[in-house]
Amino acid sequence: MSGGPYTYADYCLTEEGGRCFLMEGELVMVPAPRTVHQRISKMLQKFIDRFVESHSLGEVLYAPLDVYLSEKDVLQPDIVFISRDRLHIITEENIQGAPDLVIEILSPATARYDKVTKSRLYYRYGVQEYWLVDPDGQVVQVFQRGERYWNLYDAFAVDHTLTSPLLPGLEIPLAQVFAPLPGK
């Protein structure tokens, strides 16, 4: 597909199986995540999903899943949480609007987007909390929505227990999330 800027209709014409997202009208193709990325994602999903389900707080979903923010902004966050009161934004096709929580796990191909452009888009469209997970540094930064921009709630290292202002009572021991890979 050549040209641009692209719209959601153009995005829907991309070949299935190709990992891409639409950001400010730009179609961005990225490679599949690394194994470590997927293991971290799986562990975070387990902790968050168990907590959310046990407290009937809403729903946790994970990539690949389109989050439609606008006609020119369709992203695929690694993990999202949508609160019980906002479950109506989940449709058969995608999520229509900003999730309450977005988690992005950094990878070489997407780190710049996750830290800058996606971060700005998530803020602009109303995400309440944003986590940046750094597999190499074994750190998770938790950001809360402020009046005009993200405020850093805390940065949690591998030997810490992550907490979330959006999900009071959630505790994630990061040593388990960043556990060494099998065979290492």
Side-chain angles (χ1 to χ4, degrees), residues 21 23-24 26-30 104-122 130 132-133:
F21 51 88
M23 190 171 54
E24 298 180 330
E26 177 187 355
L27 194 58
V28 180
M29 300 292 293
V30 295
E104 291 284 11
I105 302 165
L106 303 178
S107 63
T110 63
R112 179 174 53 99
Y113 296 118
D114 295 337
K115 291 177 180 179
V116 182
T117 315
K118 285 185 186 179
S119 173
R120 289 179 183 150
L121 289 171
Y122 292 140
Y130 184 44
L132 282 175
V133 181

Side-chain angles (χ1 to χ4, degrees), residues 90-94:
I90 302 172
T91 71
E92 199 64 32
E93 294 290 318
N94 53 33

Side-chain angles (χ1 to χ4, degrees), residues 22-160:
L22 183 64
M23 190 171 54
E24 298 180 330
E26 177 187 355
L27 194 58
V28 180
M29 300 292 293
V30 295
R34 299 180 300 169
T35 308
V36 67
H37 176 287
Q38 294 303 86
R39 285 188 171 118
I40 290 169
S41 180
K42 179 176 74 172
M43 291 303 294
L44 286 171
Q45 289 167 33
K46 283 182 180 182
F47 280 106
I48 298 166
D49 208 31
R50 191 177 309 130
F51 180 81
V52 166
E53 282 187 10
S54 70
H55 293 85
S56 300
L57 298 175
E59 190 164 356
V60 178
L61 298 168
Y62 48 91
L65 178 67
D66 289 340
V67 173
Y68 178 97
L69 300 172
S70 78
E71 194 60 24
K72 293 186 178 185
D73 298 300
V74 182
L75 304 177
Q76 289 192 9
D78 292 309
I79 303 171
V80 298
F81 162 70
I82 294 120
S83 62
R84 185 177 52 226
D85 297 343
R86 301 185 62 245
L87 290 175
H88 64 276
I89 71 172
I90 302 172
T91 71
E92 199 64 32
E93 294 290 318
N94 53 33
I95 297 172
Q96 288 281 318
D100 297 88
L101 168 65
V102 168
I103 301 171
E104 291 284 11
I105 302 165
L106 303 178
S107 63
T110 63
R112 179 174 53 99
Y113 296 118
D114 295 337
K115 291 177 180 179
V116 182
T117 315
K118 285 185 186 179
S119 173
R120 289 179 183 150
L121 289 171
Y122 292 140
Y123 183 86
R124 179 186 317 152
Y125 288 102
V127 170
Q128 297 302 304
E129 190 168 299
Y130 184 44
W131 298 5
L132 282 175
V133 181
D134 181 350
D136 297 328
Q138 297 191 321
V139 172
V140 179
Q141 293 177 297
V142 174
F143 295 93
Q144 286 182 281
R145 183 177 191 78
E147 263 187 57
R148 296 181 52 203
Y149 45 79
W150 293 116
N151 293 325
L152 179 64
Y153 168 71
D154 209 341
F156 299 93
V158 65
D159 57 341
H160 293 147

